[in-house]
Amino acid sequence: FSASKDKTIIEWDLLRNIQRKTICGHTNVVWDVQLSTDGTRAVSVSHDETVRWWDTMTGNETRVVKNAHTSTIYAAAVSHDGKYLATGSADKA
């Protein structure tokens, strides 16, 4: 998976070096995307100040948190057990 300036998340097939899926939903640059350890979920963060969860099989958004920060969110990290999410933002919160 990759985060994109065009507001999308791209799923890649690394064996064939092709895009498998484009996931849309953010309204501004997507800065980071991370996978759960089992690969069934992805979490993305964006310049639109949202944190979004995705079902990796369908590409559907399963949850969105607005106003998680008051500025661009640049980074996300999912704990190994999938219970916690850390985010990094320009608002230093």
Side-chain angles (χ1 to χ4, degrees), residues 17-82:
N17 198 31
I18 59 170
Q19 291 183 15
R20 288 184 37 147
K21 188 183 303 161
T22 301
I23 300 172
C24 302
H26 281 288
T27 60
N28 212 316
V29 175
V30 180
W31 288 109
D32 195 13
V33 60
Q34 297 290 320
L35 293 176
S36 61
T37 53
D38 64 6
T40 62
R41 293 171 290 145
V43 63
S44 58
V45 294
S46 170
H47 191 74
D48 66 13
E49 300 173 13
T50 64
V51 178
R52 297 175 190 260
W53 282 262
W54 310 92
D55 179 310
T56 58
M57 294 301 292
T58 64
N60 293 331
E61 182 180 276
T62 60
R63 183 176 178 192
V64 61
V65 176
K66 297 179 181 180
N67 304 316
H69 288 275
T70 58
S71 188
T72 300
I73 307 170
Y74 290 105
V78 179
S79 65
H80 291 287
D81 61 8

